[in-house]
Amino acid sequence: MSEDRTSGDRPGAPPATPVTDELPVYAERVLDVADLIPPGRVMTYGDIAEWLGDGGPRQVGRVMALYGSAVPWWRVVRSDGALLPGHELRALDHYREEGTPLREAAHRADGHLPRLDMRRARWDGVTGGPDAGDKAHI
């Protein structure tokens, strides 16, 4: 994989342009939606992309991986209801605290961790949200 470099840049040298603390516009939009998800509810990466009408699940996942710690990250999930690998126990604590619907794992399942009950936990972006009945516009 090649890297775009400006003339004079050396490997390991700081970038020629200063790095700012500003988030990309798309990242701000994704994080704004994550902030809207009510406690006890979830949206999938694809749901957020569809709700925004921009990007796809991978783009939303990338934003959450890079910047998601600033929002309730546990409310943005995989469509199969599996808990986020590496963060399962922290997420599970949040789900139990918020009363997010879970499905108990089968005893033969690895680690016996529950999954989200997507049928009951999934938020449509409208009902029961911060403005109960009004879809926010991002």
Side-chain angles (χ1 to χ4, degrees), residues 7-25:
S7 60
D9 277 358
R10 306 176 313 282
T17 56
V19 177
T20 65
D21 289 337
E22 287 186 38
L23 290 176
V25 173

Side-chain angles (χ1 to χ4, degrees), residues 87-120:
H87 302 281
E88 299 95 341
L89 297 179
R90 286 181 41 215
L92 194 54
D93 286 343
H94 288 292
Y95 298 139
R96 288 183 171 145
E97 182 180 314
E98 294 181 356
T100 307
L102 298 169
R103 293 176 42 189
E104 289 305 317
H107 292 291
R108 66 182 180 278
D110 290 336
H112 303 290
L113 287 172
R115 286 182 177 251
L116 292 158
D117 183 341
M118 293 302 292
R119 188 179 55 77
R120 294 177 32 225

Side-chain angles (χ1 to χ4, degrees), residues 42-45 57-58 60-95 100 102 110 113-116 118:
V42 298
M43 287 181 91
T44 68
Y45 300 108
R58 289 180 185 222
V60 172
R62 180 75 175 149
V63 168
M64 292 304 296
L66 293 174
Y67 311 109
S69 64
V71 297
W73 54 267
W74 59 92
R75 297 180 192 155
V76 181
V77 301
R78 294 173 31 168
S79 61
D80 65 0
L83 305 186
L84 183 63
H87 302 281
E88 299 95 341
L89 297 179
R90 286 181 41 215
L92 194 54
D93 286 343
H94 288 292
Y95 298 139
T100 307
L102 298 169
D110 290 336
L113 287 172
R115 286 182 177 251
L116 292 158
M118 293 302 292

Side-chain angles (χ1 to χ4, degrees), residues 30-50:
V30 167
L31 298 178
D32 286 345
V33 174
D35 266 337
L36 292 174
I37 303 169
R41 305 298 297 273
V42 298
M43 287 181 91
T44 68
Y45 300 108
D47 290 342
I48 291 178
E50 185 177 327

